[in-house]
């Protein structure tokens, strides 16, 4: 049976429901999105209309299982593939930043697979508290609670007192810390700078040409690729202003002060 948009039944039944109600409509929307010629508009729709928000109700109400996990992974891969169509080709190592919150320098395409445990634990815990039953009786609750505790570095008892937003925030923070430690000095500095207050606000600006809030497609692609630490030029050439090497990452172009200004 289906109740309030969620399937109740065998793993196969639940997976079929997710495929019909979530995965297929999302894939159709992503296919249409790729026909757009404006990547800024596409990214706005991807983040606010087609992304994690389409899957979060399923994650909050569906017990974890192999088929559900596979559906979440397929959803994440489809989102990354759509993003890659506009800004790629992109290496797998930038997927973590793409799926991270803009608050800490990400693109904001939150991963359904990474946040399934947070969504399910928060939902079950809240329902159990309101209706006075033991959340550990819920299918898969203990497994999700352990996964959320591991992902956040917070003990299980404290996780049970947190909202979904708080757990997801802790998941993002823990993953970001690990990413900083595994990055080279230049990438770590870039990631720290991008996680500063309001540094990523430009990614959330609604593209409005009349108000001057719209980038050209070329500008937006270059900016997003630079944000992800990817090449913005095809080859290194001398700077047209000072003659110094203009690196493919675009860093020299940001700091060149030849002729009394910056490029």
């Amino acid at each position: 049976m289906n109740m309030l948009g969620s399937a109740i039944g065998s793993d196969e039944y639940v997976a079929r429901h997710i495929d019909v109600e979530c995965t297929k409509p999302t894939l159709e929307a992503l296919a249409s999105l790729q026909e757009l010629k404006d990547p800024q508009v596409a990214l706005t729709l991807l983040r606010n209309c087609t992304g994690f928000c389409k899957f979060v109700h399923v994650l909050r109400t569906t017990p974890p299982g192999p088929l559900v996990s596979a559906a979440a992974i397929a959803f994440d891969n489809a989102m990354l593939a759509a993003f890659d169509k506009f800004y790629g080709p992109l290496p797998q190592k930038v997927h973590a930043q793409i799926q991270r919150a803009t608050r800490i320098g990400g693109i904001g395409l939150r991963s359904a697979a990474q946040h399934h445990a947070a969504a399910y634990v928060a939902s079950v815990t809240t329902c159990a508290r309101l209706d006075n039953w033991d959340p550990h009786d819920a299918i898969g609750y203990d497994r999700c609670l352990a996964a959320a505790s591991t992902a956040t570095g917070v003990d299980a008892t404290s996780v049970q007192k947190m909202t979904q937003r708080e757990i997801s925030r802790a998941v993002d923070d823990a993953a970001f810390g690990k990413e900083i430690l595994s990055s080279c000095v230049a990438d770590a500095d870039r990631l720290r700078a991008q996680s500063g207050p309001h540094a990523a606000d430009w990614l959330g600006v609604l593209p409005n040409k009349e108000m001057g809030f719209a980038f050209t497609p070329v500008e937006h692609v270059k900016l997003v690729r630079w944000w992800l630490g990817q090449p913005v030029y095809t080859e290194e050439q001398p700077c047209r202003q000072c003659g110094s090497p203009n690196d493919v990452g675009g860093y020299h172009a940001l700091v060149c002060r030849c002729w009394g200004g910056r490029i």
Side-chain angles (χ1 to χ4, degrees):
M1 60 180 287
N2 295 334
M3 182 177 292
L4 299 176
S6 295
I8 302 172
S10 65
D11 286 349
E12 292 76 13
Y13 177 78
V14 172
R16 187 164 58 251
H17 172 85
I18 293 173
D19 184 53
V20 172
E21 298 296 328
C22 295
T23 306
K24 285 184 177 178
T26 299
L27 293 177
E28 292 173 359
L30 292 176
S32 299
L33 209 59
Q34 292 170 19
E35 297 178 8
L36 293 174
K37 304 302 182 183
D38 191 324
Q40 188 182 8
V41 172
L43 181 59
T44 300
L45 294 175
L46 199 61
R47 289 181 53 202
N48 298 303
C49 305
T50 318
F52 185 74
C53 57
K54 287 292 187 181
F55 223 78
V56 68
H57 181 64
V58 168
L59 301 182
R60 287 179 58 84
T61 58
T62 307
L67 296 179
V68 177
S69 297
I73 292 172
F75 175 84
D76 289 345
N77 290 337
M79 292 288 290
L80 290 169
F83 185 86
D84 196 76
K85 286 286 186 180
F86 288 102
Y87 305 104
L90 297 168
Q92 187 174 1
K93 69 176 185 179
V94 304
H95 288 178
Q97 187 176 0
I98 293 172
Q99 295 177 319
R100 202 166 59 239
T102 55
R103 171 183 60 84
I104 44 178
I107 298 295
L109 300 185
R110 179 162 284 175
S111 164
Q114 290 176 10
H115 293 274
H116 187 182
Y120 188 67
V121 166
S123 177
V124 170
T125 303
T126 301
C127 290
R129 187 185 305 120
L130 291 173
D131 294 334
N132 195 28
W133 50 273
D134 188 351
H136 298 281
D137 291 339
I139 298 171
Y141 178 81
D142 289 333
R143 195 179 344 142
C144 278
L145 183 60
S149 178
T150 301
T152 59
V154 179
D155 64 89
T157 302
S158 297
V159 168
Q160 288 180 295
K161 299 176 182 178
M162 298 164 69
T163 65
Q164 179 187 335
R165 181 186 295 272
E166 291 169 339
I167 301 174
S168 288
R169 188 183 184 99
V171 169
D172 280 339
D173 288 343
F176 181 56
K178 293 177 181 178
E179 188 178 352
I180 289 288
L181 292 175
S182 63
S183 299
C184 66
V185 174
D187 279 341
D189 287 344
R190 172 177 58 83
L191 293 171
R192 289 192 189 94
Q194 291 170 341
S195 65
H198 305 295
D201 282 359
W202 66 276
L203 285 165
V205 173
L206 294 177
N208 187 314
K209 292 181 179 180
E210 285 71 21
M211 298 182 68
F213 293 160
F215 295 105
T216 67
V218 172
E219 286 172 341
H220 199 256
V221 169
K222 295 289 186 184
L223 284 168
V224 170
R225 286 186 62 83
W226 178 85
W227 191 257
L228 295 172
Q230 297 304 296
V232 295
Y233 300 125
T234 55
E235 59 181 339
E236 184 176 295
Q237 293 183 347
C239 174
R240 285 186 253 177
Q241 299 280 28
C242 68
S244 299
N246 199 9
D247 60 284
V248 294
Y251 288 98
H252 174 78
L254 290 173
V255 299
C256 180
R257 292 185 289 178
C258 192
W259 298 353
R262 294 182 188 271
I263 297 176

